[in-house]
Amino acid sequence: MLLTTDDLAFDQRHIWHPYTSMTQPLPCYPVTAASGVELQLADGRKLIDGMSSWWAAIHGYNHPVLNQAVSQQLAQMSHVMFGGITHPAAVTLARQLIAITPQALDCLFLADSGSVAVEVALKMALQYWQARGEPRQRMLTVRHGYHGDTFGAMSVCDPAGTMHSLYQGYLPAQLFAPAPQCRFDQVWDEHEIAPLTQLIEKHDKQIAAVIIEPIVQGAGGMRIYHPTYLKRLRELCDRHQLLLIADEIATGFGRTGKLFACQHAEVVPDILCLGKALTGGYMTLSATLTTRRVAETISDGAAGCFMHGPTFMANPLACAVASASLNLLANNQWQQQVATIEMQLRQQLQPLADLPNVADVRILGAIGVVEMKQAVDVAALQAQFVADGVWIRPFGRLIYLMPPYNINSLQLSRLTTAITKVVHQICTASSTAG
Ligand SMILES: *Cc1c(COP(=O)(O)O)cnc(C)c1O
């Protein structure tokens, strides 16, 4: 299938893209195929993918095993309602997810996107306290978080910027602790936890749950923090009997070097949200897991059930491809792949930290982040990346990589070289500008 210039004009005029304007849309690149770690443009050019389609395509594109899982399921049935019906794809996937997540997480809800998984988690926490006869209305989180674009999820996203001010009066007011400051590889500073401790001590009887992205805060700034922060947070939640929700929608399935980022701190949450890479990037699907205690408390409450049930709950196609993706992960190649990517990112991106316009470089697992001192020109940088044969989409001050795990070292070098080149150009431009 081709995309004509007429198609592109139609797209600009009628179709919204993520966070874009209808009157001043940013340019879009027509992609007509994707295979391995390459996206193919309509004109035949191939771009090495540095984004994994937003954390999702961990095995690359057009993977034979994943393709086969979809075709096989398609021949059986693509969808069937989950109310009053179950199917092999859902049961198989649920078994796998319960087996690879911490033992305490025993019951799961399969929804259709990451944001909905977060809504489900928040509703579980609210219903849990309702059922215990001590209703609680507030969530606590840290600044710089990102948990999705639906209302409940937005209410726990970083309150700075437009997200909160735009919908003021409609969004529930949540409690925000400062974002963790201590870096992943720094020496832990015990003072770091004081503001969070005070906030919890002051409001503990109102707080239904604490929600956090473990170790890596993604879309809220690509920040990587110390595992002890998470450990202390778990201890605080235990001491005050608060539920801990780990949003591993971005970090799950090996991205940070552990299968789940909570493992860096050996912490087990009460509720765990998964999404993005769950289906290897093939389809939209999410899972919210919780403990039997939480599940049973909710079920024994006045409502008598958990109040959520999306139309496409446990979509068989999505479940089947998720199962196949988990099977690919189970052969454990990802560990070596992610470790190799991490080493190469350290060698090739870390030196940029010494350049004048670079604020910081941070790397964990298959994530490499170059933070500039000023916001970058996204459209201009993207055009240059495309000209260099790579797909990298910066945002704000961040130029970052999270490639598919099966990228080879030559391909990864193409990505880091392209970043090195634009960062040097930014430095040169600003020094000549005086
Ligand atoms: C992307 C993301 C979400 C939202 O997932 P969608 O599938 O885009 O709704 C929630 N939490 C985190 C940590 C994410 O990275």
Side-chain angles (χ1 to χ4, degrees):
M1 208 193 302
L2 287 174
L3 272 168
T4 62
T5 45
D6 189 47
D7 290 334
L8 290 178
F10 182 90
D11 180 293
Q12 280 223 327
R13 177 133 189 87
H14 298 280
I15 311 178
W16 250 296
H17 287 260
Y19 299 98
T20 53
S21 154
M22 253 316 160
T23 51
Q24 313 216 294
L26 285 175
C28 270
Y29 294 86
V31 170
T32 50
S35 186
V37 300
E38 288 179 335
L39 309 180
Q40 188 182 316
L41 295 180
D43 64 11
R45 277 183 296 166
K46 290 185 173 163
L47 309 179
I48 296 168
D49 175 36
M51 308 305 296
S52 299
S53 287
W54 280 337
W55 313 85
I58 52 175
H59 312 291
Y61 302 86
N62 214 347
H63 195 289
V65 173
L66 301 184
N67 287 3
Q68 200 204 355
V70 178
S71 322
Q72 263 179 10
Q73 183 58 48
L74 188 60
Q76 300 297 317
M77 65 184 167
S78 57
H79 184 66
V80 64
M81 65 189 279
F82 210 50
I85 289 173
T86 194
H87 51 78
V91 177
T92 306
L93 175 63
R95 274 192 206 284
Q96 287 170 297
L97 284 175
I98 286 169
I100 62 171
T101 51
Q103 201 173 3
L105 301 173
D106 207 28
C107 301
L108 92 172
F109 190 100
L110 293 164
D112 32 24
S113 75
S115 300
V116 176
V118 170
E119 298 294 333
V120 164
L122 300 177
K123 284 170 81 169
M124 281 179 178
L126 293 173
Q127 272 198 247
Y128 170 81
W129 288 106
Q130 184 78 40
R132 287 179 47 138
E134 17 176 348
R136 297 176 173 204
Q137 267 87 31
R138 300 186 89 181
M139 304 293 161
L140 185 148
T141 186
V142 293
R143 288 177 186 270
H144 283 292
Y146 177 77
H147 298 283
D149 290 350
T150 51
F151 276 99
M154 262 198 303
S155 77
V156 285
C157 286
D158 189 43
T162 52
M163 269 261 196
H164 280 237
S165 57
L166 266 180
Y167 309 106
Q168 215 169 17
Y170 197 79
L171 276 186
Q174 313 290 19
L175 296 163
F176 291 90
Q181 299 299 323
C182 192
R183 299 167 65 106
F184 186 86
D185 45 13
Q186 259 177 345
V187 178
W188 168 249
D189 174 6
E190 211 56 66
H191 293 109
E192 170 94 349
I193 206 71
L196 182 67
T197 309
Q198 283 156 14
L199 211 55
I200 289 181
E201 281 171 357
K202 182 150 178 238
H203 298 280
D204 65 343
K205 292 293 179 286
Q206 296 169 32
I207 300 170
V210 179
I211 180 167
I212 195 165
E213 294 158 278
I215 307 301
V216 180
Q217 296 187 287
M222 300 294 287
R223 305 171 82 257
I224 305 173
Y225 63 86
H226 201 286
T228 304
Y229 188 93
L230 197 59
K231 234 193 240 300
R232 294 287 180 265
L233 172 59
R234 176 72 269 185
E235 290 161 8
L236 281 165
C237 288
D238 286 340
R239 196 171 319 138
H240 295 268
Q241 297 191 310
L242 306 180
L243 297 175
L244 178 61
I245 304 171
D247 179 351
E248 293 238 20
I249 289 165
T251 51
F253 307 109
R255 179 58 64 181
T256 68
K258 303 274 188 193
L259 191 57
F260 298 106
C262 280
Q263 293 172 296
H264 288 286
E266 293 166 342
V267 152
V268 175
D270 301 287
I271 301 177
L272 172 68
C273 299
L274 301 173
K276 290 201 162 106
L278 173 59
T279 62
Y282 266 54
M283 257 172 266
T284 178
L285 180 72
S286 65
T288 306
L289 289 95
T290 191
T291 60
R292 187 151 296 280
R293 180 175 69 91
V294 169
E296 287 183 352
T297 305
I298 291 171
S299 310
D300 293 341
C305 68
F306 179 58
M307 284 288 188
H308 207 93
T311 306
F312 285 96
M313 186 165 178
N315 173 255
L317 285 172
C319 289
V321 73
S323 265
S325 174
L326 294 182
N327 286 338
L328 288 178
L329 287 174
N331 71 23
N332 274 326
Q333 266 187 343
W334 67 269
Q335 282 178 314
Q336 189 56 50
Q337 290 171 328
V338 170
T340 307
I341 293 169
E342 174 166 355
M343 211 154 56
Q344 192 175 342
L345 289 175
R346 280 189 200 288
Q347 281 164 3
Q348 296 175 347
L349 291 184
Q350 198 65 58
L352 298 177
D354 299 329
L355 295 175
N357 293 53
V358 175
D360 187 33
V361 174
R362 38 191 188 264
I363 287 141
L364 183 69
I367 308 168
V369 184
V370 179
E371 181 173 340
M372 306 301 292
K373 288 181 180 159
Q374 257 133 30
V376 300
D377 179 343
V378 174
L381 251 59
Q382 201 147 62
Q384 188 165 350
F385 285 136
V386 169
D388 280 342
V390 297
W391 181 246
I392 300 168
R393 187 171 167 80
F395 80 93
R397 290 181 286 129
L398 304 170
I399 307 171
Y400 63 102
L401 294 176
M402 40 201 194
Y405 301 164
N406 56 339
I407 195 165
N408 68 35
S409 73
L410 279 175
Q411 293 164 323
L412 186 53
S413 286
R414 293 272 307 278
L415 294 171
T416 57
T417 304
I419 290 185
T420 304
K421 188 168 140 190
V422 302
V423 170
H424 276 285
Q425 276 169 3
I426 291 171
C427 294
T428 312
S430 79
S431 75
T432 40

